[in-house]
């Protein structure tokens, strides 16, 4: 049975209408003659529908009373003897569920009431469905979400919010103020933003960071997105826990600092190019070696840098193209000039910085090997001198051994004593053996070893050809 509040200042007409409504099966809860009285009874009785006359006793008419009652979302049907456009248009502003002009047919009144009740029932179902839909979204946004009233009281939170703060829904909803969950340093800012947002949403930032204090006293950095709910003085805040992100950022920062330290303090000159060959960064050793300042070569292309260091442009372009294409990634040696024109020899180790799909940079590690090359050249010159000296010594030793052998041969031919001749012959053979050993040492690549096979073959050849 639908409950009706009847607002009519003519008591006779009101009683007749009450009997008619009761005969149709409705429960007439009360009759009000004044607008103020209608508002009071609507607040206390909460009827299903209100039949409202527009012309009432007192200062407030039915339209004004209906507008005041509208916050309770109770359907209102106007019953009036005023069919003029001005009154109708004014009544439409309060969004009534019907408008009947006196005198009216009772059957039409019943139809209007039933249509209004059905419409309200459908609205309630739709509202309930929407609330369920939005509640599901609210609970499953993936972020801690909270509804804040105008007085800063928290009216609704989702499960992520309780997990983030450690408080239960019963401890929060309708009991805690929005600012209570923040650290002492952030409370004044939260209060200021809360007030500014209700004066003008553009006055307060939509996204900002703060720190919340959990139930167990832990302080967590968070990122907030706060906006007003249209048509209300409520706001909704979405809160993301930044703790892990901060840790990740800190780890990345520490890694970058370690890399920067290694990069800056490397013993080799290091220079970094982008994938177009433009200089992005270089370390202190590079600056020290070449004497360039940041503004002189940062952003310059490899070809231009090459020309500043004594390279020909064509050579620089070929090197750059080879590096970008990955064709020339082996270790190379370059002779470059620093800012003062001094030539420096570098051992260059190029490498590509790339993702899975493309090259994003080129890294050159340049080791100054000028002193090493000077030492190497000095050693080569010294070895060449020693080689010349060894040739001269060999030549002189060979000549001296030949002279000794010849003298022994002449002496052997002049002696008549066979025993003495044999001794001289034996000495001459020994000298020849020494000469052969010396020859093998001279021709051998490793003077610590002699090819004994060659030595024996030469010795036998000389013996059989005497």
């Amino acid at each position: 049975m639908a409950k009706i509040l009847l607002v009519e200042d003519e008591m006779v007409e009101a009683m007749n209408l009450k009997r008619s409504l009761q005969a149709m099966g409705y429960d007439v809860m009360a009759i009000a003659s004044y607008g103020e009285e209608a508002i009071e009874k609507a607040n206390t009785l909460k009827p299903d529908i209100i039949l409202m006359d527009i012309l009432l006793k007192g200062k407030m008419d039915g339209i004004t009373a209906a507008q005041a009652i509208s916050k309770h979302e109770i359907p209102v049907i106007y019953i009036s003897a005023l069919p003029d456009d001005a009154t109708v248009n004014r009544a439409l502003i309060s969004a009534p569920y019907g408008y009947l002009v006196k005198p009216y047919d009772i059957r039409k009144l019943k139809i209007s009431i039933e249509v209004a009740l059905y419409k309200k029932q459908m609205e309630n179902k739709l509202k309930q469905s929407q609330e369920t839909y939005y509640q599901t979204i609210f609970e499953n946004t993936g972020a801690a979400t909270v509804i804040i009233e105008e007085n800063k009281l928290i009216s609704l939170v989702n499960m992520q919010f309780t997990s983030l703060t450690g408080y239960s829904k019963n401890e929060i909803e309708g009991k805690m103020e929005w600012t209570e969950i923040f650290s002492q340093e952030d409370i004044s800012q939260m209060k200021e933003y809360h007030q500014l947002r209700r004066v003008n949403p553009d006055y307060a930032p939509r996204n900002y960071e703060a720190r919340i204090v959990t139930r167990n006293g832990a302080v967590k950095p968070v990122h907030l997105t706060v906006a007003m709910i249209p048509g209300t003085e409520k706001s909704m805040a979405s809160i993301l826990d930044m703790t892990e992100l901060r840790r990740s950022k800190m780890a990345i920062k520490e890694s970058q600092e370690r890399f920067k330290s290694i990069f800056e303090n490397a013993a080799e000159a290091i220079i970094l190019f982008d994938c177009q060959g433009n200089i992005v960064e270089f370390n202190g050793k590079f600056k020290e070696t070449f004497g360039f300042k940041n503004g002189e070569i940062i952003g310059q292309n490899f070809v231009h840098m090459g020309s500043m260091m004594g390279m020909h442009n064509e050579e620089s372009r070929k090197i750059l193209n080879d590096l970008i294409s990955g064709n020339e990634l082996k270790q190379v040696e370059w002779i470059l000039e620093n800012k003062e024109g001094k030539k420096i020899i570098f051992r260059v180790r190029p490498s590509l910085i790339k993702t899975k799909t493309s090259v994003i940079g080129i890294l050159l590690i340049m080791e100054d090997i000028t002193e090493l090359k000077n030492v190497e050249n000095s050693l080569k010159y010294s070895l060449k001198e020693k080689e010349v000296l060894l040739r001269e010594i060999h030549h002189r030793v060979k000549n001296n051994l030949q002279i000794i052998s010849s003298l022994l041969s002449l002496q052997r031919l002049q002696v008549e004593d066979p025993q003495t001749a044999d001794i001289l012959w034996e000495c001459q053979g020994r000298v020849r053996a020494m000469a052969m050993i010396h020859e093998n040492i001279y021709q051998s690549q490793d003077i610590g070893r002699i090819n004994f096979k060659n030595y024996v073959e030469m010795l036998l050849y000389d013996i059989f050809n005497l």
Side-chain angles (χ1 to χ4, degrees), residues 100-114:
L100 293 175
V101 179
K102 297 177 181 179
Y104 48 79
D105 184 83
I106 293 296
R107 184 171 175 276
K108 287 183 178 181
L109 175 61
K110 179 177 175 58
I111 292 172
S112 297
I113 292 171
E114 291 300 319

Side-chain angles (χ1 to χ4, degrees), residues 24 276 328 348:
M24 289 186 283
Q276 283 78 40
E328 188 86 15
V348 182

Side-chain angles (χ1 to χ4, degrees), residues 5-9 32-43 47 50-78 90-91 93-96:
L5 172 62
L6 181 58
V7 184
E8 173 63 65
D9 62 341
S33 301
Y34 297 87
E36 295 82 358
E37 184 184 4
I39 295 171
E40 181 183 350
K41 290 185 181 299
N43 290 340
I50 299 174
L51 299 180
M52 178 79 73
D53 190 6
I54 292 178
L55 294 176
L56 299 173
K57 294 178 181 179
K59 296 180 180 180
M60 183 182 294
D61 65 3
I63 296 174
T64 305
Q67 289 174 335
I69 295 170
S70 63
K71 63 182 180 181
H72 298 294
E73 299 182 351
I74 300 172
V76 174
I77 296 176
Y78 288 116
R90 183 164 162 257
I93 296 174
S94 63

Side-chain angles (χ1 to χ4, degrees), residues 193 196-206 228:
Y193 289 169
L196 288 175
R197 196 169 286 112
R198 280 151 182 80
V199 174
N200 186 332
D202 295 333
Y203 290 172
R206 178 181 171 84
M228 294 298 296

Side-chain angles (χ1 to χ4, degrees), residues 273-419:
F273 301 86
D274 62 21
C275 55
Q276 283 78 40
N278 299 315
I279 299 170
V280 176
E281 195 170 0
F282 56 87
N283 68 350
K285 187 64 177 179
F286 184 92
K287 189 186 299 185
E288 176 189 334
T289 303
F290 289 96
F292 293 116
K293 297 179 181 178
N294 289 359
E296 292 180 282
I297 61 171
I298 288 291
Q300 297 292 341
N301 192 265
F302 178 85
V303 177
H304 179 71
M305 184 203 76
S307 66
M308 295 170 68
M309 298 178 182
M311 270 189 186
H312 295 296
N313 287 346
E314 290 302 320
E315 181 186 5
S316 300
R317 287 192 187 93
K318 183 180 183 307
I319 291 171
L320 177 61
N321 291 334
D322 288 340
L323 288 171
I324 292 175
S325 62
N327 294 335
E328 188 86 15
L329 290 180
K330 60 185 180 181
Q331 183 173 283
V332 293
E333 289 185 5
W334 292 347
I335 300 176
L336 303 174
E337 294 180 2
N338 65 10
K339 197 173 181 181
E340 296 175 354
K342 179 183 175 182
K343 290 186 181 296
I344 306 171
I345 305 170
F346 289 97
R347 181 185 290 125
V348 182
R349 296 188 297 276
S351 61
L352 296 179
I353 303 172
K354 55 185 178 181
T355 62
K356 292 181 179 179
T357 57
S358 62
V359 175
I360 59 173
I362 305 164
L363 187 70
L364 296 183
I365 301 175
M366 307 168 66
E367 181 184 0
D368 184 353
I369 59 171
T370 307
E371 290 299 323
L372 184 63
K373 281 292 182 181
N374 290 339
V375 172
E376 182 182 332
N377 292 335
S378 177
L379 287 172
K380 286 181 180 178
Y381 181 75
S382 177
L383 288 172
K384 189 174 182 181
E385 286 182 333
K386 289 177 181 178
E387 187 178 343
V388 172
L389 179 61
L390 284 173
R391 284 200 187 99
E392 182 63 24
I393 292 172
H394 168 68
H395 180 69
R396 291 180 182 275
V397 170
K398 184 180 178 182
N399 286 346
N400 289 337
L401 290 173
Q402 184 63 43
I403 291 170
I404 293 170
S405 178
S406 298
L407 289 173
L408 290 171
S409 179
L410 289 173
Q411 187 65 36
R412 182 173 61 83
L413 294 174
Q414 292 177 2
V415 298
E416 295 179 359
D417 183 19
Q419 187 176 1

